[in-house]
Amino acid sequence: AWMDAFKPMQFGKHLWVCPKHIEPPDPMAVNLRLDPGLAFGTGTHPTTSLCLRWLDAHVSPHSGDQNVLDYGCGSGILAIAAIMLGAESADCVDIDEQALQATRNNAEANQVLHRISTYQPLELEDDNEYELVLANILSGPLTELAPVLAKHCRPGHDIVLSGILSDQAESVRNAYTGFFNMSSTETLDDWVLLHGKRKAQD
């Protein structure tokens, strides 16, 4: 019944997320084929939708060599979308081994497994830096993870935070303002996406 309800969805101008059992409506688009399995992340939830729309607008083959960190990767949908839109590679982190397996399966289905690595949080090297850090989790963990995510974001580059309810946005933003110049805020229903640029380190 769930698979019957999962239809192809468009995010921005170029990106579609399509279940594996349905042919993409636009063969010329960037078509991400997805079977989320037991992991969170299909694009149907506003938090994921906000991230996919941001990626469609900001990641392209002309963006330069973007290495991506997807922290709390779930099904791997954000990392896979980033690579298919033009990012170079992605490291995917989750505490749930089922999520990491779903990420590998979905990456393989989209022919990008060779550009994705999966990690438990403690397995990620402390000195790894990325041009784009994505974290679509919950406001509490996002607030606690601010120093960790900042450490992994290369100065002058982007962080995208989602999984935040409107009344939580200010407290999450405040947790990151010491590390990032927080700029745009996008909303969908009662959910918020925050974007920032990493400040130069002293």
Side-chain angles (χ1 to χ4, degrees), residues 117-165:
S117 300
T118 57
Y119 302 92
Q120 292 273 344
L122 294 178
E123 296 172 342
L124 191 67
E125 295 289 339
D126 280 348
D127 57 356
N128 285 13
E129 285 190 336
Y130 304 86
E131 287 74 38
L132 174 58
V133 174
L134 304 166
N136 178 22
I137 38 182
L138 296 171
S139 64
L142 283 177
T143 301
E144 294 173 18
L145 285 166
V148 175
L149 298 182
K151 175 178 61 180
H152 288 299
C153 189
R154 194 177 297 280
H157 290 274
D158 298 287
I159 192 165
V160 172
L161 307 171
S162 191
I164 307 161
L165 287 164

Side-chain angles (χ1 to χ4, degrees), residues 14 50-64 66 82 85-87 132 134 158 160 183-184 186 193 195 197:
H14 315 98
L50 282 165
C51 292
L52 291 170
R53 295 194 321 204
W54 190 95
L55 289 171
D56 180 80
H58 294 93
V59 178
S60 77
H62 310 294
S63 304
Q66 281 185 308
L85 287 164
L132 174 58
L134 304 166
D158 298 287
V160 172
S183 55
S184 60
E186 297 178 37
L193 176 146
H195 167 253
K197 291 272 188 184

Side-chain angles (χ1 to χ4, degrees), residues 171-193:
S171 63
V172 175
R173 178 190 291 273
N174 289 342
Y176 283 81
T177 51
F179 308 102
F180 294 88
N181 294 311
M182 302 301 292
S183 55
S184 60
T185 301
E186 297 178 37
T187 59
L188 181 60
D189 298 336
D190 200 31
W191 297 92
V192 172
L193 176 146

Side-chain angles (χ1 to χ4, degrees), residues 66-82:
Q66 281 185 308
N67 296 301
V68 177
L69 175 62
D70 183 358
Y71 207 97
C73 59
S75 67
I77 185 172
L78 300 184
I80 295 166

